[in-house]
Amino acid sequence: MKALLDHARSFGRQVEFESGEYRKLAEGQYPEALFITCSDSRVIPALITGARPGEIFELRNAGNIVPPYGSPGASGEAATIEYALEVLGVQDIVVCGHSHCGAMGALKSGDDLSALPGVDAWLRLARPELVPVLATASDDPSLPDVAQGNIVNQLAVLRTYPVVRRRLEAARLRLHGWYYEVDTGQVHELEDDGRFRVHSG
């Protein structure tokens, strides 16, 4: 924690040479994409994409889950999606799952989560649609089948949001599914045939 705190305390001095860029950020944000990913500390959207401050709008939670549209109660996820599209006008949404995901691992193993009621309730949102994948997934500890199946399912949930559906129908929005391998840094992109593939840069 000390190293993080020291860096935070000196951050202002480190970016003085870019002060013009940071002053411009104070005038507003114009991100290119909404990036929905896991809160896992090993997944760093700006590092993966090379994004600069102001270029991506992030939504992070355990398992990169999108709650069903119309779920009761306030939802930070729903609010973030609405704001990104209606206010910021982003034209791309990326749902990025990853290998070795703890949330997906808990679903695969059927762990007893009674001591973590919040986690259990949250993962229940993703469990029903993943049942077919969970039944046939390999024992690969990186969990590619489960994580990729979850990405496909969350994209389907996104399409049920009226704000998303309207923009898709008007060709004003593109949805992307990415699977990030923590141990290799490779990004697999979901293609029209339903498969995830790595594209060379």
Side-chain angles (χ1 to χ4, degrees):
M1 184 62 200
K2 184 179 184 306
L4 298 176
L5 184 57
D6 288 345
H7 184 84
R9 288 171 173 166
S10 63
F11 181 69
R13 291 192 303 276
Q14 293 174 32
V15 299
E16 280 177 353
F17 67 96
E18 296 178 303
S19 59
E21 177 184 350
Y22 280 83
R23 277 196 296 272
K24 187 175 180 183
L25 288 173
E27 298 169 6
Q29 58 172 324
Y30 308 95
E32 297 178 24
L34 169 61
F35 200 92
I36 301 174
T37 194
C38 188
S39 46
D40 191 297
S41 62
R42 299 165 294 181
V43 180
I44 307 173
L47 188 63
I48 296 167
T49 63
R52 298 281 299 156
E55 291 183 344
I56 55 176
F57 197 59
E58 294 183 25
L59 170 54
R60 303 187 67 164
N61 62 46
N64 42 271
I65 294 170
V66 178
Y69 177 74
S71 296
S75 165
E77 287 76 19
T80 299
I81 291 163
E82 288 178 1
Y83 191 84
L85 296 177
E86 295 281 20
V87 179
L88 299 178
V90 301
Q91 296 184 3
D92 292 272
I93 299 178
V94 177
V95 175
C96 180
H98 67 97
S99 68
H100 306 87
C101 179
M104 297 302 104
L107 288 170
K108 173 70 168 66
S109 63
D111 290 348
D112 176 7
L113 298 174
S114 56
L116 301 168
V119 174
D120 187 43
W122 180 249
L123 293 183
R124 255 188 259 131
L125 295 176
R127 187 177 289 119
E129 297 302 321
L130 274 176
V131 166
V133 177
L134 293 171
T136 60
S138 71
D139 291 328
D140 184 336
S142 66
L143 302 162
D145 302 336
V146 182
Q148 291 175 14
N150 184 54
I151 294 164
V152 171
N153 291 342
Q154 301 315 312
L155 287 168
V157 174
L158 268 175
R159 292 185 183 96
T160 69
Y161 280 63
V163 66
V164 171
R165 189 169 59 247
R166 287 195 301 270
R167 280 164 172 72
L168 288 172
E169 290 171 352
R172 294 169 52 206
L173 179 66
R174 293 172 296 270
L175 300 182
H176 312 269
W178 290 6
Y179 171 70
Y180 172 67
E181 286 186 342
V182 169
D183 52 332
T184 68
Q186 288 188 320
V187 173
H188 303 241
E189 300 171 46
L190 178 61
E191 299 193 342
D192 292 340
D193 63 2
R195 296 177 178 274
F196 286 81
R197 292 186 177 88
V198 176
H199 294 268
S200 57

